[in-house]
Amino acid sequence: MEITCASVPTPGTDGDGDDYALTGNTWAVALDGATANGLPTGCTHTVAWYVRKLAAGLGTRLATTAVPLPEVLRAAIADLAAFHGRTCDMTCPDSPSSTVAAARITEDEVELMVLCDSPILVLTSAGEVQVVTDTRTRHLPGYTPDHLSALRNRDPGFWVASTDPAAADRAVTRTLPRDSVAAVAVLTDGASRLADHYGWTWEELMDALLNLGPREVIRLTREEEAVRSPERGKPHDDATAIIIRLIS
């Protein structure tokens, strides 16, 4: 297989942002840390720290085990909570958190997992584009920091990787036969905006990712952001896109 990746922080910000991409020979993960909302986190660590530590835990397990993706995520969340729980309040609902989108390709299967609003696109061998997405954040009664704090990691509400390993059990998963898949795109929501907010179809987005590349798709997203804000959310966002081409 062939893997291509681009990760670009929000324009005008210092550092690398709160997205993180990690790939191996047969897998890819995109993480999108939740922007600090101004409420107390009970934590001495930053969102960026959490995202990178979680990525390391996921990558280590994906490189060395074959357990299902939700089990990989559950173990990574549990280990990280135990590590920074020595200095931080693990009961705080606003502890640093992250979305997770992961794909793993075996000899026979393509395994996919999405937790929160970082989608995965699949181009089938028949030319169809399928979307694996977690839509719970689209149906919340409110989006203020207080609303999100009250709804995070509980039902009804939405789930995200943070301090509770049970979030892994709420991930959206799909397994497809390998020979039915031509390509997979693992995205954060900053890289899916052309379809989520700016009128593109998922088919158009997948075509652009494959033919123009992840970095050019992110550049086109920035052009749209400069003209109009999305329907909901920040005017600009960190953006990460990973394309996996399955080559016979």
Side-chain angles (χ1 to χ4, degrees), residues 160-180:
V160 68
S162 183
T163 61
D164 185 357
D169 303 327
R170 271 65 170 196
V172 176
T173 61
R174 185 176 299 178
T175 301
L176 300 169
R178 176 173 174 146
D179 60 9
S180 73

Side-chain angles (χ1 to χ4, degrees), residues 22 29 31 49-62 65 67-84 90 100 113 161-168:
L22 194 64
V29 179
L31 306 178
W49 177 92
Y50 179 86
V51 168
R52 284 151 180 75
K53 289 292 185 180
L54 182 62
L58 291 170
T60 297
R61 288 170 175 81
L62 286 167
T65 70
V67 300
L69 293 178
E71 292 184 29
V72 171
L73 179 57
R74 171 181 272 277
I77 293 173
D79 282 358
L80 183 49
F83 176 77
H84 78 109
M90 296 291 95
V100 180
M113 179 181 68
S162 183
T163 61
D164 185 357

Side-chain angles (χ1 to χ4, degrees), residues 18 34 36 41 43-52 84 95-97:
D18 294 329
T41 66
C43 188
T44 62
H45 303 101
T46 65
V47 171
W49 177 92
Y50 179 86
V51 168
R52 284 151 180 75
H84 78 109
S95 186
S97 62

Side-chain angles (χ1 to χ4, degrees), residues 126-242:
E128 176 188 7
V129 174
Q130 300 179 2
V131 185
V132 182
T133 183
D134 180 349
T135 62
R136 282 170 284 202
T137 56
R138 300 179 188 175
H139 308 293
L140 302 178
Y143 295 91
T144 67
D146 287 336
H147 276 120
L148 297 176
S149 179
L151 296 166
R152 182 179 290 108
N153 281 3
R154 62 190 63 192
D155 295 318
F158 68 100
W159 291 82
V160 68
S162 183
T163 61
D164 185 357
D169 303 327
R170 271 65 170 196
V172 176
T173 61
R174 185 176 299 178
T175 301
L176 300 169
R178 176 173 174 146
D179 60 9
S180 73
V181 177
V184 176
V186 182
L187 311 172
T188 62
D189 67 336
S192 64
R193 285 185 159 198
L194 291 171
D196 281 329
H197 298 290
Y198 294 126
W200 287 38
T201 65
W202 291 111
E203 289 78 10
E204 288 170 336
L205 179 57
M206 188 65 167
D207 183 73
L209 286 164
L210 288 167
N211 293 297
L212 301 178
R215 184 165 293 276
E216 177 64 10
V217 166
I218 294 173
R219 188 193 68 78
L220 292 170
T221 303
R222 297 294 184 233
E223 285 188 352
E224 291 286 356
E225 290 174 338
V227 175
R228 51 184 172 146
S229 294
E231 300 166 1
R232 178 176 58 82
K234 298 173 286 187
H236 307 279
D237 200 2
D238 300 336
T240 296
I242 307 169

